[in-house]
Amino acid sequence: MLNQNVEKAINNQINAELYSEYLYLSMSAYLKSINMNGCAAWMNIQAQEERAHAMGMFDYIIRRGGKVVLEAIEKPQTEWKDVVDVFSSALKHEELVTSKINALANVAQENSDRATSLFLNWYITEQVEEEENFNDLVSQLNMLKNDSSALYALDKELGARQFVAPIIK
Ligand code: FEO
């Protein structure tokens, strides 16, 4: 049986992951509106990943005999200055998610829930990759932002991203 404090903390993180999905969808819509179609497609796949992160926790609560409680999802930002602003905001958001995952791991540890601690290791490792990806993209975009043909090529490259469902267990 899942400890009540741990269950509540995982439910909160499901909400944070679904908010991430919503935020990245909103970013995708904005990127479409400024004709950065490849970046928009890339961000749409990022949104799908967030959904998978939420569902990993959703399934875990159920497997442990707990109760999933879905709360309202906050309205995300809808406007940004430009493509660099979008990816910089996404990087900041991922840093916030990392701190939330770390806080959740602390709750599992404080409640001596070894199974949840092990489960959360996947998310801790994933956050390293998430921050790294956004960091790289922000650096590249900052280098290319005044070179329209290089920006066009990067947009095209990002548009080739395919969704690969993560295996979370
Ligand atoms: Fe679910 Fe991008 O962290």
Side-chain angles (χ1 to χ4, degrees):
M1 189 68 187
L2 200 51
N3 172 288
Q4 294 281 291
N5 296 328
V6 175
E7 181 183 287
K8 191 169 183 336
I10 302 175
N11 270 312
N12 286 342
Q13 190 59 33
I14 289 175
N15 186 269
E17 299 293 341
L18 291 176
Y19 172 75
S20 301
E21 178 191 17
Y22 226 36
L23 176 64
Y24 294 150
L25 272 181
S26 186
M27 288 178 172
S28 179
Y30 168 81
L31 290 163
K32 267 271 187 202
S33 78
I34 59 166
N35 298 315
M36 297 296 295
N37 293 336
C39 289
W42 190 97
M43 203 57 92
N44 196 308
I45 286 171
Q46 191 63 29
Q48 290 179 59
E49 277 211 1
E50 298 305 340
R51 166 81 171 201
H53 294 169
M55 289 312 295
M57 293 185 178
F58 183 107
D59 292 341
Y60 177 75
I61 289 179
I62 292 169
R63 280 171 58 212
R64 293 286 311 275
K67 183 168 167 52
V68 171
V69 179
L70 297 178
E71 301 287 350
I73 302 168
E74 189 188 330
K75 180 183 176 182
Q77 187 176 337
T78 55
E79 293 293 332
W80 287 267
K81 285 202 291 275
D82 52 25
V83 64
V84 180
D85 188 31
V86 170
F87 281 86
S88 302
S89 301
L91 172 59
K92 275 209 192 78
H93 180 69
E94 285 301 334
E95 288 166 354
L96 176 69
V97 173
T98 299
S99 69
K100 285 177 183 285
I101 295 280
N102 288 340
L104 175 55
N106 288 342
V107 173
Q109 197 170 18
E110 283 156 15
N111 287 277
S112 307
D113 185 341
R114 302 287 291 271
T116 299
S117 293
L118 275 175
F119 169 72
L120 290 174
N121 281 345
W122 185 90
Y123 287 87
I124 291 166
T125 307
E126 173 72 2
Q127 280 312 118
V128 173
E129 196 182 307
E130 294 278 77
E131 285 192 29
E132 186 184 14
N133 288 343
F134 279 113
N135 224 333
D136 287 351
L137 287 170
V138 170
S139 302
Q140 285 183 57
L141 285 164
N142 270 318
M143 276 189 284
L144 305 176
K145 66 184 174 191
N146 298 319
D147 179 344
S148 56
S149 53
L151 196 54
Y152 177 79
L154 179 64
D155 187 61
K156 212 170 151 64
E157 184 189 320
L158 292 181
R161 182 182 184 188
Q162 301 284 325
F163 177 64
V164 181
I167 298 163
I168 308 167
K169 50 181 178 175

